[in-house]
Every structure is written in C-alpha cells, then in structure tokens.
Amino acid sequence: MDFFQVLESRRSMRNYAARPVEEEKLQRILQAVCLAPSAGNLQAFAVYIVRRLEQRQALVHAAFDQEFIAEAPIVLVFCAEPERSAVKYGERGATLYALQDATIACTYAMLAAKALDLDSVWIGAFDEREVSRLLGLPPGHRPVAMLPIGYAGKETRPRPRRPLEEWVNEV
Ligand SMILES: Cc1cc2nc3c(=O)[nH]c(=O)nc-3n(C[C@H](O)[C@H](O)[C@H](O)COP(=O)(O)O)c2cc1C
C-alpha cells in the first residue's frame, strides 16, 4: 500500500478477528512511533502494551463499556509525559507539547498498523484515573489515547467528512 492508500483505507475498527498480531508487526509499529516528530525531539510520551485479556477487559470498563476494546489482541496506551517537555518548554511544554507528542505518536501507530494490514480505533473516551490505576502508571504518565490493534472482523464503511470549503480558509 502506498501512503495515500493507507490514509484512504483506514477506518475505525470496532470488530476484531480472533487472530493474534505478529510480534514483528508490533515491533514495526513501535519503530514507526519512534520516527514521530516531537517538540524539541524530547519524545514526551510513553507507550504501554496491554496484552492480557483480564487487563483488556478492565480497560473496557474504564472506557465506559466499549466492549470491542477487549476483542483486539493488543491495546497500546499512549501517555503524555508533561514533565519531560516542561524541562525545556515550561508550562507550554507541560500543557500542550506533551499532549501533542503523545497524540502524534498514536497517529503514527494507527497509520503504521494500517500499512501492515492491521486495523485499530482511537479511544479517547475513558476515565484517566481508572486507566492509570489499572495499569499502575507512574504519576508523571498521563494516559491520553488508547489504541486497540488487531485484524479486522467485519468490514466497516467510511464515515463522511466535512467538505473542504467548510474548514479550509484563505487568509
Ligand atoms: C480524539 C479522538 C477520540 C476518539 N474516541 C473514540 C472512542 O472513545 N470510541 C470510539 O469508538 N471511537 C473514538 N474515536 C474514533 C472516531 O469516532 C472516528 O475516528 C471518527 O468517527 C471517524 O471515523 P473513521 O476513523 O472510521 O474515519 C476517537 C477519535 C479521536 C481522534
């Protein structure tokens, strides 16, 4: 798949096949994350790999019963590390750049997964404190996105988008 085919074929997947993700593919996804840009190249994020079924099920509850999360064999949890960015950028690093670093990292993982014929769905609706507690995250790691990854179950249709004229502005 070329890059634009990856973009055009990616959909949020909420239905996964009972097929494991190959370890080599997971490693390629993590290597792709490592290539993501970050403010001052500080990479102010951390990624947690959740594989155990009990933990995936616990994440379902922390994410307000989004059951499909546990169907995916792997869930990556992307955390912002505000203090890492604050060292160089102060308040802006802590409150903005670290969140951007973590979300760009998650975007890279999502697109890399698609390029490897895997599917995923960005999960933003969850109780941060509950996720931190379940995974035993250190206080400086703030979970900002979860990414269940696996092979597609059912096909999903593309969601519509706002037309460009609505959101592209010439100044
Ligand atoms: C910040 C963010 C938070 C999201 N949170 C959730 C979520 O909690 N649960 C879910 O099923 N999808 C979630 N999504 C996925 C969106 O619903 C999805 O990307 C959007 O509807 C467009 O569909 P598509 O990804 O198939 O193109 C989230 C996406 C983003 C970027």
Side-chain angles (χ1 to χ4, degrees):
M1 263 196 276
D2 81 12
F3 181 66
F4 286 91
Q5 284 175 314
V6 170
L7 297 182
E8 285 157 11
S9 60
R10 188 210 58 79
R11 323 242 179 284
S12 289
M13 179 56 60
R14 300 182 181 87
N15 188 285
Y16 293 90
R19 176 179 166 190
V21 170
E22 296 83 348
E23 193 56 33
E24 312 82 68
K25 288 196 175 185
L26 175 61
Q27 291 308 317
R28 285 201 75 187
I29 291 168
L30 297 173
Q31 293 295 341
V33 168
C34 204
L35 299 174
S38 61
N41 199 24
L42 292 172
Q43 298 175 260
F45 60 82
V47 179
Y48 291 81
I49 304 170
V50 183
R51 301 173 195 261
R52 293 212 325 266
L53 180 61
E54 315 85 79
Q55 281 189 309
R56 278 150 44 210
Q57 282 166 341
L59 290 180
V60 166
H61 296 298
F64 316 115
D65 295 328
Q66 300 190 69
E67 301 284 347
F68 52 84
I69 294 173
E71 280 182 24
I74 289 176
V75 181
L76 298 182
V77 178
F78 288 81
C79 298
E81 217 186 317
E83 283 312 311
R84 189 176 289 275
S85 202
V87 167
K88 189 167 178 188
Y89 298 114
E91 181 74 6
R92 192 165 173 83
T95 60
L96 180 64
Y97 294 163
L99 296 175
Q100 291 177 328
D101 288 0
T103 50
I104 294 167
C106 187
T107 304
Y108 266 52
M110 182 177 237
L111 296 178
K114 188 70 228 180
L116 295 166
D117 278 328
L118 291 161
D119 281 283
S120 65
V121 54
W122 191 296
I123 302 293
F126 57 85
D127 180 328
E128 284 185 29
R129 271 189 297 185
E130 186 61 6
V131 169
S132 299
R133 190 188 65 77
L134 290 169
L135 302 181
L137 304 183
H141 288 185
R142 177 184 175 192
V144 294
M146 304 202 288
L147 196 68
I149 298 177
Y151 285 95
K154 281 189 292 203
E155 283 290 302
T156 55
R157 278 182 292 150
R159 301 288 312 275
R161 293 295 196 258
R162 292 164 63 202
L164 269 66
E165 312 82 75
E166 248 184 66
W167 52 269
V168 178
N169 302 282
E170 295 273 0
V171 289

